[in-house]
Amino acid sequence: MHQIQLGAIDYAILIVYFAFVLGIGWALRRFVRSSEDFFLSGRSIPTWIAGLAFLSANLGAQEVIGMAASGAKYGMMTSHFYWVGAIPAMVFVGIFMMPFYYGSRARSVPEYLRLRFDEKTRGFNAITFAVMTVFSSGISMYALAKLLELVLGWSFHTSVILSAVIVLVYIFLGGLTSAIYNEVLQFFLIVLGFLPLVLLGLKDVGGWAGLTAKLEPVATSAGYAAGAWSDSWRHLGSASANPMGVEWFGMVMGLGFVLSFGYWCTDFLVIQRAMAAKSMIAARRTPLLAAIPKMLFPALVIVPGMIAIALHSSRGGLLPIGADGTPNYNLAVPVLLAHYLPSGLLGLGLTALMASFMSGMAGNVTAFNTVWTYDIYQSYIRPGRTDQHYLRMGHAATVFGILFSVAAAYATTRFNNIMDMLQLVFAFVNAPLFATFLLGMFWRRATGHGAFFGLLIGTVAAAAHHGLTLPHDAVPGLKGAFLGTVLHTYPSEMAQNFWTAIVAWTVCFLATIGISLLTGRNKSDDELRGLVYSLTPRLTDRELVWYKRPATLGVVVLGLTLLLNIIFW
Amino acid sequence: MNLDLRLPIGLMFTIFGALLTLFGLISDDAIYVRSLGINVNLWWGLVLLAFGLVMLGFAIRAGRKRHASGTP
């Protein structure tokens, strides 16, 4: 593709943005006095800020670039990541799980596991999570630098160092508060920076009706029904009828139930934002409030991908063709930015893109330094020191967390396969986790041994399922079948991933129940008060007017999501 | 927390809005061929300016209230 030339106005916008990001960190530095201030914002964040940060921490590179790529590759079915996946999970975590996270006064998700189960379950979760966050922030940095190299001709080193230093400075100064405040700033920037692109694109293709019409040849030439790119549910009857290669059961159970609930309900990266809220009610409203903009995000991140593929097919060759002969879907957003936006708005759009990468990176780094300091350093390396000692460790952890991310970004440039492999291993670890939390929170008989070995067996089951199956037209290796035999062939990689998650969840769920029944309880009812549903006083929210109660908000959010599913059926 | 987040958000978007509006007024129309002939810098600049000023307005009003009631 042609490289984009930036004008003075574009650089001016970029510089103003950097100045504000660093300025917020600077202004907040005097509020950081204790480790709780640094890692949990002193639990003082207002609901609307926590809610937008909850959303924005997840709005990293993978979301903006990846969802647009999926929109181009699979069309409207990508909306299931939101309307079946994220939203119901966010409502669930707000209404049912947040009372235990926030109410237990645990400072992190692994710490909840120690309170509820035992030390080894916490250790397992803390260590895998810490390694995982460093690598995902490295991958995010790598993706940003590659993109800027391709689109603007900036050097890879400049981009990596620039983004690393900026994120480092603002987290180092202001801790989690600074990360959260910047995430909110980034949220508005991402919305207001990408919206003109979507509006221009839609105007160009003739609105939603024009887009649907232009996507018909895309679908029919690939051998699917005419609406395969613009309907979300209609072609889910069988795996062969849609480009994703998934049928409705794999979609609802694999993506909706296991993967999305697993991510939104147990990943400390997002939960940390709600834990920083100023009260129980604010913490519970955080994911519910975040769900409202989240349900509209497909318009911002999926529709550009659909516009890109529609233009690609109707006007010929908008997207560059890769070595394997298919369009490079990952470039959908940058290509559209260059296609529609003149100097000025182009600077705003690129700044928004950089903001999304940075918020993703900062989210990982703040989650990493907390888990490292509280769950690894304070628990296993140097327990019983003063709070100031742990605050200093938090600052140090921010520095080496970012240094590790930079190292990971460079490792990716050399060993692309190692990253793919690590991501695969993390997927195995994450898939069964939701079963452990579900049983931990809602079944008091679940024991420490049950949770730990259930998780382990579930992880092994995920690896085994992946090792014995293969997506259609893939070669054995990283994509699957590394155990030598192929027991089942899936129509697509996506289908294989969804079923790996379903298998892992089910095995972990059953194994945890089985082992718990065979082993003695390690926590008495008294110790589990506030950690398990049946032993915790119900939050009736009677003191609130009915329309202010979290349950009411949850029902409204779910109703609106159902409506969106029906409109785009 | 003693920093009202609406203040930096309002300030930043006011600056963005002003920059884009001005640039939209002085820039050559030829660059708007790709944006379907619409001077998007001018129009979107005005949108950002309005958003920024509303945010600033909220922040200043809240600041005055805090000042009047005597809490820092």
Side-chain angles (χ1 to χ4, degrees):
Chain A
M1 65 182 286
H2 291 291
Q3 275 178 4
I4 305 172
Q5 293 300 320
L6 291 186
I9 176 85
D10 303 310
Y11 283 110
I13 288 175
L14 201 59
I15 289 166
V16 168
Y17 168 69
F18 287 154
F20 270 89
V21 166
L22 296 174
I24 287 180
W26 182 252
L28 290 170
R29 79 194 182 287
R30 60 207 159 94
F31 300 118
V32 180
R33 296 210 181 85
S34 69
S35 72
E36 187 119 320
D37 291 340
F38 189 76
F39 296 120
L40 284 164
S41 298
R43 297 193 200 257
S44 64
I45 299 289
T47 315
W48 72 276
I49 293 180
L52 292 182
F54 190 89
L55 200 60
S56 195
N58 161 263
L59 195 60
Q62 288 84 348
E63 177 111 349
V64 174
I65 300 294
M67 284 295 146
S70 294
K73 202 171 169 187
Y74 307 119
M76 199 57 195
M77 283 179 70
T78 311
S79 65
H80 292 306
F81 280 88
Y82 293 78
W83 299 338
V84 174
I87 306 290
M90 288 161 90
V91 171
F92 185 80
V93 72
I95 292 179
F96 293 106
M97 290 176 81
M98 205 43 77
F100 309 114
Y101 280 135
Y102 198 89
S104 69
R105 305 306 281 178
R107 298 168 301 178
S108 67
V109 167
E111 192 164 74
Y112 172 83
L113 284 177
R114 181 181 64 81
L115 295 171
R116 171 62 186 87
F117 294 114
D118 56 11
E119 198 57 67
K120 60 179 180 295
T121 312
R122 182 255 279 267
F124 182 68
N125 183 242
I127 291 165
T128 50
F129 182 79
V131 176
M132 216 155 64
T133 45
V134 168
F135 278 103
S136 26
S137 118
I139 292 167
S140 183
M141 212 185 286
Y142 167 81
L144 171 71
K146 267 281 167 239
L147 195 73
L148 294 180
E149 191 176 35
L150 195 68
V151 178
L152 298 174
W154 290 8
S155 99
F156 186 85
H157 309 288
T158 316
S159 310
V160 165
I161 292 166
L162 189 71
S163 53
V165 167
I166 289 177
V167 171
L168 172 67
V169 169
Y170 77 71
I171 296 177
F172 192 88
L173 288 171
L176 181 66
T177 315
S178 179
I180 287 181
Y181 274 32
N182 273 311
E183 277 156 10
V184 175
L185 191 75
Q186 284 148 357
F187 168 81
F188 285 111
L189 184 58
I190 292 164
V191 171
L192 293 169
F194 285 146
L195 205 54
L197 183 71
V198 176
L199 296 176
L200 280 173
L202 276 179
K203 186 173 158 55
D204 193 22
V205 296
W208 180 254
L211 181 60
T212 313
K214 283 198 168 59
L215 286 171
E216 277 178 13
V218 175
T220 48
S221 69
Y224 300 107
W229 252 262
S230 48
D231 301 325
S232 64
W233 282 99
R234 210 166 276 147
H235 310 283
L236 274 176
S238 85
S240 57
N242 62 70
M244 239 181 224
V246 185
E247 81 301 346
W248 66 272
F249 183 82
M251 179 68 82
V252 172
M253 285 305 287
L255 173 67
F257 183 63
V258 181
L259 288 175
S260 298
F261 277 70
Y263 176 76
W264 291 99
C265 302
T266 71
D267 199 296
F268 183 53
L269 173 69
V270 286
I271 302 293
Q272 188 179 25
R273 270 77 198 149
M275 279 182 168
K278 63 182 176 186
S279 65
M280 170 70 94
I281 190 77
R284 296 179 66 201
R285 280 205 197 113
T286 294
L288 296 170
L289 223 66
I292 296 169
K294 183 81 180 171
M295 71 172 93
L296 302 175
F297 265 36
L300 213 58
V301 294
I302 300 175
V303 169
M306 294 164 68
I307 293 172
I309 199 69
L311 292 180
H312 181 76
S313 84
S314 64
R315 294 186 198 160
L318 184 74
L319 296 169
I321 307 293
D324 58 348
T326 57
N328 189 343
Y329 298 109
N330 281 327
L331 288 176
V333 166
V335 162
L336 278 193
L337 283 173
H339 186 75
Y340 284 122
L341 300 184
S343 210
L345 270 197
L346 183 61
L348 188 72
L350 280 172
T351 307
L353 201 58
M354 291 189 78
S356 82
F357 281 92
M358 285 190 179
S359 65
M361 209 165 103
N364 279 307
V365 172
T366 46
F368 168 81
N369 65 20
T370 310
V371 166
W372 164 261
T373 307
Y374 283 152
D375 292 298
I376 300 176
Y377 185 78
Q378 190 180 24
S379 311
Y380 306 119
I381 303 176
R382 292 264 187 283
R385 297 297 174 93
T386 61
D387 191 63
Q388 285 306 308
H389 179 87
Y390 296 120
L391 175 59
R392 277 199 300 279
M393 180 37 79
H395 281 119
T398 307
V399 177
F400 64 72
I402 288 184
L403 285 179
F404 277 137
S405 313
V406 171
Y410 277 100
T412 314
T413 61
R414 291 194 164 205
F415 312 103
N416 220 332
N417 274 337
I418 290 189
M419 279 305 165
D420 289 345
M421 203 175 77
L422 278 169
Q423 278 186 314
L424 200 59
V425 173
F426 299 150
F428 299 158
V429 175
N430 269 347
L433 205 56
F434 182 56
T436 307
F437 277 88
L438 210 53
L439 287 169
M441 285 182 175
F442 297 97
W443 190 46
R444 72 174 117 165
R445 185 67 185 76
T447 66
H449 289 314
F452 180 75
F453 291 105
L455 259 184
L456 225 51
I457 295 170
T459 305
V460 171
H465 177 266
H466 190 86
L468 292 170
T469 59
L470 197 66
H472 170 69
D473 70 22
V475 283
L478 266 187
K479 302 275 182 203
F482 50 77
L483 293 177
T485 33
V486 181
L487 292 185
H488 185 76
T489 308
Y490 286 105
S492 70
E493 221 177 306
M494 193 87 73
Q496 187 198 23
N497 288 343
F498 291 173
W499 279 97
T500 298
I502 295 174
V503 167
W505 186 89
T506 314
V507 169
C508 175
F509 190 77
L510 296 176
T512 307
I513 293 177
I515 298 168
S516 292
L517 290 174
L518 293 174
T519 51
R521 287 181 64 179
N522 59 329
K523 299 261 179 187
S524 65
D525 276 2
D526 226 25
E527 288 173 294
L528 292 182
R529 214 165 295 282
L531 301 171
V532 179
Y533 189 74
S534 59
L535 299 170
T536 306
R538 293 289 174 284
L539 292 164
T540 55
D541 302 318
R542 285 245 171 73
E543 72 285 3
L544 294 168
V545 204
W546 66 270
Y547 58 82
K548 284 186 175 172
R549 289 177 196 162
T552 318
L553 194 54
V555 170
V556 170
V557 166
L558 288 181
L560 291 174
T561 310
L562 186 67
L563 201 64
L564 284 171
N565 273 305
I566 293 169
I567 294 173
F568 293 97
W569 187 269
Chain B
M1 211 43 60
N2 294 326
L3 174 71
D4 189 339
L5 183 53
R6 287 170 296 190
L7 200 66
I9 294 176
L11 263 178
M12 189 175 89
F13 281 102
T14 305
I15 297 175
F16 281 169
L19 278 175
L20 286 175
T21 310
L22 279 178
F23 186 70
L25 289 174
I26 58 167
S27 55
D28 182 4
D29 274 349
I31 67 167
Y32 299 112
V33 174
R34 59 167 81 166
S35 56
L36 317 174
I38 308 167
N39 187 339
V40 281
N41 282 333
L42 177 65
W43 292 111
W44 201 251
L46 289 172
V47 171
L48 296 186
L49 195 60
F51 174 76
L53 289 174
V54 168
M55 276 286 180
L56 268 186
F58 279 125
I60 290 169
R61 211 181 56 175
R64 275 213 196 109
K65 259 191 200 153
R66 264 201 305 274
H67 195 70
S69 63
T71 46

